[in-house]
Amino acid sequence: MQDVIIVGAGPCGLSAAIECERLGLNTLVIEKYNVVHSIFLYPTNMQFFSTAELLEIGNLPFPSPNEKPFRHEALAYYRRAAEHYKLNIQPYTEATGIERHENGTFSLHTVNRQGQQHTYEARKVIISTGYFDHPNYLGIPGEDLDKVTHYFREAHPYTGMRVAIIGGSNSAVDAALEIVRVGAKVDMVYRGNDLSANIKSWVRPIFESLVMKGKIALHLNARVTEIHDSEVELTHNDGKIEMLHNDFVLAMTGFRPDRKLITSMGVTMSDDMDKPRFDPDTMETNIEGLYVAGVIASGRNANEVFIETGRRHGALIAKHIVANS
């Protein structure tokens, strides 16, 4: 019987495990892939918006020569944090179900890569699953073509190609900048009349300069409404239809948290079924002993919770568990 089982070994899940262990709680982390899998899925050359200090967990310094660290630095840092605190992590194990018993304890059902099933017992459970497994699909014809992806890793495969990027966020802008550098022709399509106001301040001038020079064709107030083998169909807000020659489509439309475990437990959701209800002082849901940490606590906009804020959830939870033990 574990004191605490944490589902998810992202930065916020690792932080929760560290805080629980610090207070003497026996902790097990269940992870579908490996530590910080969501960061592994970031673009290869991605630079964080936050400083290294704001990404730290467990008061473990994050050394970086850069004010804002890169993906590879974060992967190394969180691996080191897990090793430093000797966290008990069960990787490549998916949590498939959870149930609460009359005595208040929990059973967590899992399956590993070999298909072997196992059930773990715990007094408390923290759900800290991420969201990169679940992209926001457009729901348009042609989205299932091989030329379409919701994940951008690196620019090289798009050398000399005509690429449509759907979206107006940091991920879309970053992808556009990298792809242009390898000689691709970029059409960026966004339904709004301007890009997100949250675009990194040091990136926006570079992007706007490339638009002015014609290196990136920016299509505002427009949507991709159909994808073909060699074209994409744009529908402008005024109803005009435009066809663009195209080789690849990057749908940078964001992701959503997986709430399957918490909804199956009967966690109360917001009126639009988009956000779990929990006590912000303890992160405990309406199910006694079941907590949320990290992006799972956000609403439809996953950017409500960043690493720099979600990393603090673990301390609130650990303190509450010990105080009520």
Side-chain angles (χ1 to χ4, degrees):
M1 172 77 70
Q2 301 288 330
D3 290 328
V4 182
I5 289 180
I6 299 169
V7 182
C12 301
L14 295 180
S15 177
I18 292 168
E19 298 301 331
C20 287
E21 289 283 342
R22 277 177 163 177
L23 296 185
L25 298 170
N26 187 292
T27 306
L28 170 65
V29 182
I30 301 294
E31 168 55 46
K32 186 177 180 181
Y33 298 104
N34 210 325
V35 293
V36 294
H37 178 70
S38 59
I39 293 177
F40 169 73
L41 291 176
Y42 287 172
T44 303
N45 301 314
M46 193 212 77
Q47 186 175 25
F48 280 84
F49 192 96
S50 302
T51 63
E53 182 181 9
L54 293 175
L55 299 175
E56 292 175 353
I57 58 175
N59 294 326
L60 187 68
F62 186 160
S64 172
N66 306 293
E67 180 186 0
K68 296 177 173 62
F70 288 82
R71 166 188 172 274
H72 70 276
E73 297 176 273
L75 289 175
Y77 170 76
Y78 291 116
R79 287 198 305 268
R80 184 165 62 90
E83 293 167 2
H84 177 82
Y85 286 102
K86 298 179 173 59
L87 298 180
N88 183 13
I89 301 173
Q90 184 64 51
Y92 297 103
T93 300
E94 181 178 3
T96 57
I98 183 172
E99 53 187 304
R100 186 176 186 272
H101 305 296
E102 289 185 3
N103 65 357
T105 63
F106 295 86
S107 292
L108 187 76
H109 306 292
T110 68
V111 61
N112 65 16
R113 294 177 71 188
Q114 291 74 40
Q116 298 169 327
Q117 299 182 3
H118 188 81
T119 297
Y120 296 92
E121 307 293 332
R123 294 182 175 87
K124 309 291 181 183
V125 173
I126 302 171
I127 306 297
S128 187
T129 48
Y131 58 98
F132 263 110
D133 287 348
H134 302 274
N136 294 319
Y137 290 106
L138 297 165
I140 60 174
E143 190 173 10
D144 58 347
L145 292 174
D146 289 343
K147 65 186 282 188
V148 182
T149 181
H150 290 264
Y151 298 90
F152 172 68
R153 300 306 301 274
E154 54 184 302
H156 179 75
Y158 305 106
T159 301
M161 298 289 101
R162 184 75 181 245
V163 183
I165 298 176
I166 304 172
S169 64
N170 274 299
S171 60
V173 169
D174 288 347
L177 293 182
E178 284 204 44
I179 290 173
V180 163
R181 294 189 189 106
V182 299
K185 173 60 179 175
V186 175
D187 287 294
M188 192 162 172
V189 184
Y190 186 54
R191 61 187 177 183
N193 56 19
D194 196 5
L195 298 180
S196 168
N198 296 320
I199 301 298
K200 301 167 190 172
S201 59
W202 65 94
V203 168
R204 183 181 284 271
I206 301 172
F207 176 82
E208 291 176 344
S209 173
L210 290 173
V211 172
M212 290 290 293
K213 294 175 181 177
K215 299 286 186 180
I216 297 173
L218 181 59
H219 307 268
L220 297 173
N221 297 307
R223 295 171 292 118
V224 173
T225 47
E226 190 164 352
I227 301 170
H228 304 277
D229 288 334
S230 58
E231 293 179 313
V232 293
E233 178 185 282
L234 263 61
T235 300
H236 295 264
N237 288 359
D238 61 5
K240 177 186 174 183
I241 304 294
E242 182 180 3
M243 303 299 294
L244 299 176
H245 175 68
N246 173 261
D247 298 302
F248 292 98
V249 176
L250 296 179
M252 303 286 95
T253 50
F255 302 85
R256 66 185 187 281
D258 181 3
R259 299 194 174 89
K260 179 174 57 181
L261 284 177
I262 60 174
T263 55
S264 69
M265 280 295 296
V267 171
T268 303
M269 303 294 287
S270 58
D271 292 339
D272 58 2
M273 299 299 291
D274 191 58
K275 183 176 182 177
R277 297 189 187 277
F278 57 89
D279 183 341
D281 294 325
T282 67
M283 304 307 293
E284 188 175 33
T285 68
N286 60 292
I287 305 299
E288 185 178 352
L290 183 66
Y291 301 81
V292 290
V295 73
I296 190 70
S298 68
R300 186 164 299 167
N301 177 12
N303 289 330
E304 279 184 51
V305 178
F306 297 92
I307 295 174
E308 60 194 67
T309 53
R311 65 182 177 151
R312 303 187 186 283
H313 294 165
L316 299 175
I317 296 169
K319 181 180 178 181
H320 185 254
I321 290 174
V322 170
N324 289 275
S325 297

